Amino acid sequence: MTVAFAPPAASTPTSFQPPATAPLVDPFGRHVNYIRVSVTDRCDFRCVYCMAEDMDFLPKRDLLTLEELDRLCSAFVARGTRKIRLTGGEPLVRRNVMGLIRNLSRHLESGALQELTLTTNGSQLAKYAAELADCGVRRINVSMDSLDTDKFRSITRWGNLSQVLRGIDAAQNAGIAIKINMVALKGVNDHEIPGMIEWAHGRGMDLTMIEVMPMGQIGEERIDQYVPLNQVRADLMGRYTLTDLAYKTSGPARYVKVEETGGRLGFITPMTHNFCESCNRVRVTCTGTLYMCLGQDDAADLRSALRASNDDHLLNDTITAAIARKPKGHDFIIDRTLARPAVGRHMSVTGG
Ligand code: SAM
Ligand code: SF4
């Protein structure tokens, strides 16, 4: 198959550079070996907890090109990154994103990278599932908050449930394992949680519940959407037998087995339970801003480092200095007394 851009050729350094292969370890001894990279801030949905309906998107020139994204990801791989998750916005609406995925798959083939994956709303999966599988993508996360067509439309504003379900079918047919992510929204979809558990587990998929996080102005009050997952878990225990599992992915979810379905249920609880002590990841926005913590504003500008020079010396130095500043944790608070979200940027900018 034709790949629309070639992986960058190794540059010829003008002066001697030691190989930048030192693993990335932060001041708290956490090995950073997982990057989440947003490839676009754009999306074909407008989920109510994520975006305002009339979002302003970034000018295209501000985005990293696909070549720059490849260089950036490859620099992290050379420093010990074992897992790359592409996200957004909706990663599969970025033009020629499959060219990037195809090129990054060389790191899977070489064994340097263990996993290349993505988080998607599923709208384009029917089109791309087979090619994703062919590129070595083995597991993906699909975000889906309701199985009710009208409810799905009202949460996503623009989404089409049957298109997403066709995408899930296509991915499963291609042999890709799926984890469903569901954001729990008070009075909106919380009553659907048992139905979602039975549907997902019936299809051999894990389900992970997510607490709504205070990121970016969305024109609605987050406190009105927020359901603490310890409450959800307590309610589910009246209905199911939940057994704690030691199972961990490289993400922050804590898992239980639902004995009645035999499936796994995860809880991502940034608000009620701080998961920072085991954090092994950093995030890069589609403009090349490296955030060392989802819930803090400190960041490093990798785009300037990428554009300043064709070799990766400055890029590596910038990454090293940034990891040395990775904070111990976040301090999200959802509180009526706060007029602003705890973090001003939207999840679609940082990448979920
Ligand atoms: N468009 C893709 C998708 O929806 O899967 C990838 C990007 S999306 C920002 C990644 C994840 O973040 C989704 O599972 C979404 O539900 C979640 N998300 C977005 N805004 C959130 C918020 N304010 N609080 C909690 N989760 C959020
Ligand atoms: Fe788009 Fe994902 Fe945000 Fe929904 S959660 S608006 S699908 S980026």
Side-chain angles (χ1 to χ4, degrees):
M1 101 134 243
T2 316
V3 177
F5 70 93
S11 55
T12 315
T14 46
S15 58
F16 173 75
Q17 284 179 26
T21 50
L24 297 170
V25 182
D26 79 1
F28 304 95
R30 297 170 297 190
H31 281 253
V32 175
N33 55 16
Y34 175 9
I35 57 169
R36 295 190 175 207
V37 182
S38 173
V39 298
T40 177
D41 62 330
R42 289 164 199 256
C43 187
D44 51 347
F45 291 4
R46 291 288 182 280
C47 301
V48 290
Y49 49 79
C50 180
M51 292 192 184
E53 190 157 18
D54 56 344
M55 288 288 284
D56 288 327
F57 293 109
L58 295 162
K60 294 230 166 79
R61 66 177 177 278
D62 288 355
L63 263 57
L64 295 188
T65 64
L66 295 174
E67 291 83 350
E68 288 167 339
L69 282 164
D70 185 296
R71 248 181 91 195
L72 183 148
C73 290
S74 301
F76 273 96
V77 171
R79 307 287 300 272
T81 286
R82 301 285 288 149
K83 174 167 174 177
I84 298 177
R85 177 177 297 280
L86 303 182
T87 178
E90 174 46 42
L92 294 178
V93 301
R94 170 90 194 240
R95 188 189 295 265
N96 199 26
V97 72
M98 287 311 304
L100 173 68
I101 294 173
R102 175 72 63 185
N103 282 340
L104 288 176
S105 72
R106 74 189 183 280
H107 298 303
L108 290 172
E109 280 163 27
S110 75
L113 191 63
Q114 196 171 29
E115 184 168 22
L116 178 58
T117 185
L118 56 149
T119 299
T120 173
N121 66 23
S123 69
Q124 310 300 312
L125 262 184
K127 189 157 135 203
Y128 292 127
E131 198 177 347
L132 286 169
D134 192 51
C135 290
V137 173
R138 297 282 166 260
R139 301 190 300 163
I140 56 173
N141 291 352
V142 179
S143 305
M144 225 188 90
D145 302 323
S146 176
L147 277 168
D148 175 290
T149 304
D150 295 335
K151 181 74 62 168
F152 184 86
R153 170 61 62 120
S154 72
I155 295 172
T156 60
R157 294 197 184 101
W158 297 358
N160 176 332
L161 178 64
S162 58
Q163 191 180 341
V164 173
L165 293 174
R166 278 198 301 281
I168 289 173
D169 287 342
Q172 287 197 310
N173 289 337
I176 298 176
I178 296 179
K179 177 164 79 71
I180 300 290
N181 281 344
M182 174 184 186
V183 175
L185 300 165
K186 185 155 76 188
V188 176
N189 66 355
D190 42 354
H191 64 286
E192 278 196 66
I193 295 171
M196 286 284 283
I197 291 174
E198 281 162 38
W199 170 76
H201 292 177
R203 296 188 55 137
M205 305 185 292
D206 290 349
L207 174 70
T208 295
M209 310 292 313
I210 305 178
E211 277 174 355
V212 82
M213 287 179 255
M215 299 192 66
Q217 298 283 8
I218 50 166
E220 298 181 39
E221 293 259 11
R222 283 237 169 55
I223 189 108
D224 295 331
Q225 303 176 338
Y226 174 61
V227 194
L229 288 186
N230 50 11
Q231 182 59 51
V232 169
R233 189 180 162 134
D235 292 348
L236 288 174
M237 282 166 72
R239 188 168 183 142
Y240 300 110
T241 310
L242 306 182
T243 309
D244 283 319
L245 290 176
Y247 173 80
K248 278 211 68 83
T249 61
S250 44
R254 279 152 211 270
Y255 283 91
V256 296
K257 181 177 177 196
V258 180
E259 296 296 342
E260 288 76 1
T261 61
R264 265 193 303 251
L265 176 64
F267 296 93
I268 298 185
T269 55
M271 308 305 298
T272 53
H273 189 284
N274 196 299
F275 48 60
C276 305
E277 72 279 1
S278 59
C279 180
N280 61 346
R281 63 200 154 273
V282 292
R283 293 173 157 82
V284 184
T285 68
C286 53
T287 57
T289 303
L290 171 66
Y291 283 101
M292 290 72 84
C293 172
L294 178 64
Q296 303 275 3
D297 283 327
D298 187 23
D301 176 9
L302 301 186
R303 184 180 63 191
S304 297
L306 280 161
R307 292 185 180 171
S309 146
N310 282 334
D311 73 49
D312 291 341
H313 201 160
L314 182 58
L315 177 63
N316 270 307
D317 287 351
T318 311
I319 292 172
T320 305
I323 299 300
R325 301 200 306 272
K326 184 167 161 62
K328 196 165 178 201
H330 66 68
D331 24 61
F332 283 141
I333 306 168
I334 289 190
D335 184 337
R336 279 196 189 280
T337 59
L338 286 180
R340 287 171 292 106
V343 172
R345 59 190 190 274
H346 289 88
M347 188 72 116
S348 54
V349 172
T350 319

